[in-house]
């Protein structure tokens, strides 16, 4: 009897996990290579973006609760790897105007970006 109860409690959790896994969009293997992608809900085929606003925080995670890596300024170029809600996980394609090194990965709110394209 105890064995059957254990199986019954595990089965719904396993089914829920399997159902959630089938809903995940995975199209950007590069984003999976970094640990941050675990915070993503949607992976993209890496696309370019340009920062549209000055003094935009480049963060370590997808919310204002995460530390800032520095500021992005109008014209800084990014490659967007994946997203979570209104936050995009990206990589700088060249050194930012504030001096953040090329290749640095971080999170930026998508309402601070424009010229998105594949």
């Amino acid at each position: 009897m105890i064995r059957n109860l254990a199986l019954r409690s595990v089965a719904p959790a396993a089914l829920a996990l399997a159902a959630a896994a089938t809903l995940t969009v995975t199209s950007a293997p590069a984003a999976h290579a970094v640990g941050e992608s675990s915070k993503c809900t949607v992976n993209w085929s890496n696309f370019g973006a340009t920062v549209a606003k000055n003094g935009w925080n480049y963060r370590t995670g997808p919310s204002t609760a995460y530390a800032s890596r520095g500021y992005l300024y109008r014209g800084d170029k990014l490659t967007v790897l994946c997203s979570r809600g209104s936050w995009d996980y990206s990589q700088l394609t060249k050194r930012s105007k504030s001096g953040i090194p090329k290749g640095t990965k971080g999170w930026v709110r998508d309402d601070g970006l424009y010229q998105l394209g594949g």
Side-chain angles (χ1 to χ4, degrees):
M1 178 98 173
I2 294 174
R3 187 176 187 187
N4 286 339
L5 288 175
L7 287 177
R8 280 190 238 170
S9 65
V10 171
L15 288 174
L17 183 59
T22 60
L23 298 175
T24 304
V25 177
T26 55
S27 62
H32 291 294
V34 298
E36 295 293 322
S37 68
S38 65
K39 297 175 185 156
C40 292
T41 54
V42 177
N43 290 310
W44 301 103
S45 293
N46 307 342
F47 62 87
T50 303
V51 177
K53 299 180 179 185
N54 284 324
W56 215 236
N57 276 301
Y58 201 42
R59 297 193 177 272
T60 59
S63 82
T64 57
Y66 288 89
S68 176
R69 295 186 188 279
Y71 293 106
L72 300 174
Y73 289 90
R74 184 176 291 123
D76 284 338
K77 305 287 186 192
L78 305 164
T79 299
V80 177
L81 307 170
C82 61
S83 63
R84 180 184 187 102
S86 62
W87 291 86
D88 293 328
Y89 182 64
S90 60
Q91 181 175 13
L92 283 166
T93 59
K94 64 179 187 175
R95 184 179 179 93
S96 74
K97 292 178 180 180
S98 66
I100 303 170
K102 173 184 177 178
T104 301
K105 294 176 181 165
W107 292 84
V108 62
R109 279 200 2 226
D110 61 12
D111 57 346
L113 304 177
Y114 69 90
Q115 295 181 347
L116 304 175

